[in-house]
């Protein structure tokens, strides 16, 4: 198999993997009672990290900041998050998890890890895949015209 064919196969496998993760995530989100967008935002709010401004969360979610405001309103209504001023700049709003939000996020993550297709790999294989994916993700993107 040549390089072009191997790259095509890898792309197909990654698209399939993406679909598989979407299905897994959708199932978890339905069990928890959130929309996918709400769950994505909850996933990004790490209780062990410094609070992230709402605008940066919008960048990470690749959406308009007004969408993050709406999502955070819904999560706040559910008692999972609260908006607070940023520790270094009180003019900036951040999102932090409540205790209930931490429990829901932890449940969501642990369920995703248990259902991950990577559980089919042993520890050595997971480490190898981790190294390879890290290498691919930091490689410069090359855009070439086809044809």
């Amino acid at each position: 198999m040549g390089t072009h064919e191997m790259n095509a196969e890898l792309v197909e496998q990654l698209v399939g993997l993406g679909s598989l993760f979407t299905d897994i995530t959708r199932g978890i989100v339905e069990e928890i009672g959130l929309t996918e967008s709400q769950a994505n935002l909850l996933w990004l709010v790490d209780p062990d990290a410094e609070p992230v401004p709402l605008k940066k969360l919008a960048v990470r979610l690749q959406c308009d900041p007004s969408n993050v405001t709406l999502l955070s309103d819904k999560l706040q209504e559910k008692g999972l998050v609260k908006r607070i001023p940023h520790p270094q700049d009180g003019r900036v709003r951040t999102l932090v998890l409540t205790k209930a939000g931490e429990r829901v996020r932890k449940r969501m993550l642990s369920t995703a890890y248990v259902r991950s297709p990577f559980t089919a790999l042993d520890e050595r294989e997971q480490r190898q895949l981790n190294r390879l994916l890290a290498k691919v993700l930091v490689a410069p993107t090359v855009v070439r015209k086809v044809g």
Side-chain angles (χ1 to χ4, degrees), residues 79-119:
L80 302 177
V81 299
K82 59 185 175 179
R83 277 179 272 208
I84 63 167
H86 192 277
Q88 281 79 42
D89 185 350
R91 299 168 298 168
V92 175
R93 298 312 246 174
T94 65
L95 206 58
V96 295
L97 298 175
T98 62
K99 291 293 180 193
E102 287 182 27
R103 285 191 301 274
V104 168
R105 183 179 185 274
K106 185 176 182 177
R107 178 177 164 210
M108 185 172 62
L109 294 176
S110 64
T111 304
Y113 299 154
V114 167
R115 294 182 186 174
S116 166
F118 299 127
T119 59

Side-chain angles (χ1 to χ4, degrees), residues 29-43:
V29 167
E30 288 173 3
E31 289 172 20
I32 292 175
L34 300 175
T35 67
E36 288 182 51
S37 297
Q38 291 167 352
N40 286 338
L41 180 55
L42 197 65
W43 190 291

Side-chain angles (χ1 to χ4, degrees), residues 125-139:
E125 291 168 326
Q126 287 181 9
R127 289 185 193 286
Q128 181 180 13
L129 181 58
N130 179 267
R131 283 191 304 274
L132 293 171
L133 290 174
K135 182 177 180 179
V136 169
L137 291 171
V138 298

Side-chain angles (χ1 to χ4, degrees), residues 1-116:
M1 182 180 299
T3 302
H4 179 74
E5 291 83 8
M6 179 54 70
N7 280 330
E9 187 170 328
L10 288 169
V11 168
E12 290 297 322
Q13 288 173 328
L14 288 175
V15 169
L17 191 59
S19 293
L20 181 58
F21 274 110
T22 298
D23 291 344
I24 291 168
T25 303
R26 189 172 289 127
I28 295 166
V29 167
E30 288 173 3
E31 289 172 20
I32 292 175
L34 300 175
T35 67
E36 288 182 51
S37 297
Q38 291 167 352
N40 286 338
L41 180 55
L42 197 65
W43 190 291
L44 291 178
V45 182
D46 183 350
D48 298 324
E50 183 177 313
V52 178
L54 295 177
K55 286 184 181 181
K56 284 190 178 181
L57 290 171
V59 170
R60 290 182 186 171
L61 288 172
Q62 299 178 343
C63 70
D64 190 84
S66 63
N67 290 345
V68 171
T69 300
L70 292 172
L71 292 170
S72 57
D73 285 346
K74 294 294 183 188
L75 291 173
Q76 197 163 3
E77 287 171 15
K78 293 176 182 283
L80 302 177
V81 299
K82 59 185 175 179
R83 277 179 272 208
I84 63 167
H86 192 277
Q88 281 79 42
D89 185 350
R91 299 168 298 168
V92 175
R93 298 312 246 174
T94 65
L95 206 58
V96 295
L97 298 175
T98 62
K99 291 293 180 193
E102 287 182 27
R103 285 191 301 274
V104 168
R105 183 179 185 274
K106 185 176 182 177
R107 178 177 164 210
M108 185 172 62
L109 294 176
S110 64
T111 304
Y113 299 154
V114 167
R115 294 182 186 174
S116 166

